Amino acid sequence: PPPPSSTSSPPAAVDGVPLRPAVFCTVADLRPQSLGHNLKLKVVKSDLMLEHKRPDGTTFRVAEVVVGDSTGTVILTARNEQIDVCKPGNYVVVRNAKVDMFRNFMRLSVNKWGNIKLDPTPQEFAVDTANDVSAVEYELVRVETEEAVGAPEPTHGGRGGRGGRGGRGGRGAHSH
């Protein structure tokens, strides 16, 4: 067998299953209600919107952070320790982000399944501030399917569902 090559290392693995490299997208790729985004962004501006002291003494903070890349900017809703990373001028890596709708406008957010960290290898780029995807208002349009067109409205009568006397037993007052 040939000697092992020192130039290529095997990919990291969890329980014997090799991990796939992360796929990064751009701000211009973001769509309403989409999730699982990995982005490399630059922090443009950060505004603390809420700071609330809880009864247990801890503080809950929420900030609107304008972040962007060479394709546009988006507002990132940062919470607690995420705010400390999102200082203007910092380059950050956002993993497993989702797009939430806030008053019909897009907001990027990261929950407990994702993270925001400083970019260990930042590539400097100019942020395209002309394309603000959070400034575009979206309208929810109901699309009727072919089966629903002309179909009668569903009724919620009968004995099924919640309430009424058609439940699973009860006090034993009614024996059928």
Coordinates of all heavy atoms in Angstrom, one line a residue, residues 11 13 16 32 41 44 46 61 89-90 92 94-95 99 117 120 122 142 144 175:
P11 N -11.6 14.1 6.7 CA -12.5 15.0 7.3 C -12.9 14.6 8.7 O -12.8 13.4 9.0 CB -13.7 15.0 6.3 CG -13.6 13.7 5.6 CD -12.1 13.4 5.5
A13 N -15.1 13.4 11.8 CA -16.2 12.4 11.8 C -16.8 12.4 13.2 O -16.2 12.6 14.2 CB -15.7 11.1 11.4
G16 N -18.1 7.8 13.3 CA -17.7 7.2 12.1 C -18.4 7.8 10.8 O -18.1 7.3 9.7
P32 N -38.0 34.7 2.7 CA -38.9 34.6 3.9 C -39.1 33.2 4.3 O -39.3 32.3 3.5 CB -40.2 35.3 3.4 CG -39.8 36.1 2.3 CD -38.6 35.4 1.6
L41 N -20.5 37.4 7.5 CA -21.0 38.8 7.4 C -20.1 39.8 8.2 O -19.3 39.4 9.0 CB -22.4 38.8 8.1 CG -23.4 37.9 7.5 CD1 -24.6 37.8 8.4 CD2 -23.8 38.3 6.1
V44 N -22.3 46.1 10.6 CA -22.3 47.5 10.2 C -22.7 48.4 11.3 O -22.1 49.4 11.6 CB -23.3 47.7 9.0 CG1 -23.4 49.2 8.6 CG2 -22.9 46.9 7.8
S46 N -25.1 48.3 15.4 CA -25.8 47.6 16.4 C -26.6 48.5 17.3 O -26.0 49.5 17.8 CB -24.8 46.8 17.2 OG -25.4 46.0 18.2
R61 N -31.3 40.8 27.0 CA -31.0 41.8 26.1 C -31.4 41.4 24.7 O -31.1 40.3 24.3 CB -29.5 42.2 26.1 CG -29.1 42.8 27.4 CD -27.6 43.1 27.4 NE -26.8 41.9 27.0 CZ -25.6 42.0 26.5 NH1 -25.0 43.2 26.3 NH2 -24.9 40.9 26.2
G89 N -18.0 46.7 12.8 CA -16.6 46.5 12.2 C -16.2 45.0 12.3 O -15.3 44.6 11.6
N90 N -16.8 44.2 13.2 CA -16.4 42.8 13.4 C -16.9 42.0 12.2 O -18.0 42.3 11.6 CB -17.0 42.2 14.6 CG -16.3 42.6 15.9 OD1 -15.3 43.3 15.8 ND2 -16.8 42.2 17.0
V92 N -18.2 38.3 11.3 CA -18.8 37.2 12.1 C -19.2 36.0 11.1 O -19.4 36.2 9.9 CB -20.0 37.6 12.9 CG1 -19.6 38.6 14.0 CG2 -21.1 38.2 12.0
V94 N -22.1 33.3 10.9 CA -23.4 32.9 11.5 C -23.7 31.6 10.9 O -23.7 31.3 9.7 CB -24.5 34.0 11.0 CG1 -25.8 33.6 11.5 CG2 -24.1 35.4 11.5
R95 N -24.1 30.6 11.9 CA -24.4 29.3 11.5 C -25.8 28.9 11.9 O -26.2 29.2 12.9 CB -23.4 28.3 12.1 CG -22.0 28.4 11.5 CD -21.1 27.3 12.0 NE -19.7 27.5 11.5 CZ -19.2 27.0 10.4 NH1 -20.0 26.3 9.6 NH2 -18.0 27.3 10.1
V99 N -34.7 32.8 8.8 CA -35.3 34.1 8.5 C -36.7 34.1 9.1 O -37.6 33.3 8.7 CB -35.4 34.3 6.9 CG1 -36.1 35.6 6.6 CG2 -34.0 34.3 6.3
K117 N -20.2 33.6 15.8 CA -18.9 33.7 16.3 C -18.1 34.7 15.5 O -18.4 34.9 14.3 CB -18.2 32.3 16.3 CG -18.8 31.3 17.3 CD -18.1 30.0 17.3 CE -18.7 29.1 18.3 NZ -18.2 27.8 18.3
P120 N -12.7 33.5 12.3 CA -11.2 33.4 12.6 C -10.4 33.7 11.4 O -9.2 34.1 11.6 CB -11.1 31.9 12.9 CG -12.3 31.2 12.3 CD -13.4 32.3 12.3
P122 N -11.1 36.2 8.6 CA -12.0 37.2 7.9 C -11.4 37.6 6.6 O -10.2 37.9 6.5 CB -12.1 38.4 8.8 CG -10.9 38.3 9.7 CD -10.5 36.9 9.8
R142 N -52.5 34.0 0.0 CA -53.1 32.7 0.1 C -53.2 32.1 -1.3 O -53.9 32.7 -2.2 CB -54.4 32.7 0.8 CG -54.3 33.2 2.2 CD -55.5 32.9 3.0 NE -55.3 31.5 3.5 CZ -55.4 31.2 4.8 NH1 -55.7 32.1 5.6 NH2 -55.2 30.0 5.1
E144 N -54.9 29.2 -3.5 CA -55.9 28.1 -3.4 C -55.5 27.0 -4.2 O -55.0 27.1 -5.4 CB -57.2 28.7 -3.9 CG -57.8 29.7 -3.0 CD -59.3 30.1 -3.4 OE1 -59.9 29.3 -4.2 OE2 -59.7 31.1 -3.0
S175 N -74.0 6.4 30.2 CA -73.6 5.1 29.7 C -74.4 4.8 28.5 O -75.6 4.9 28.5 CB -73.8 4.0 30.8 OG -75.2 4.0 31.2

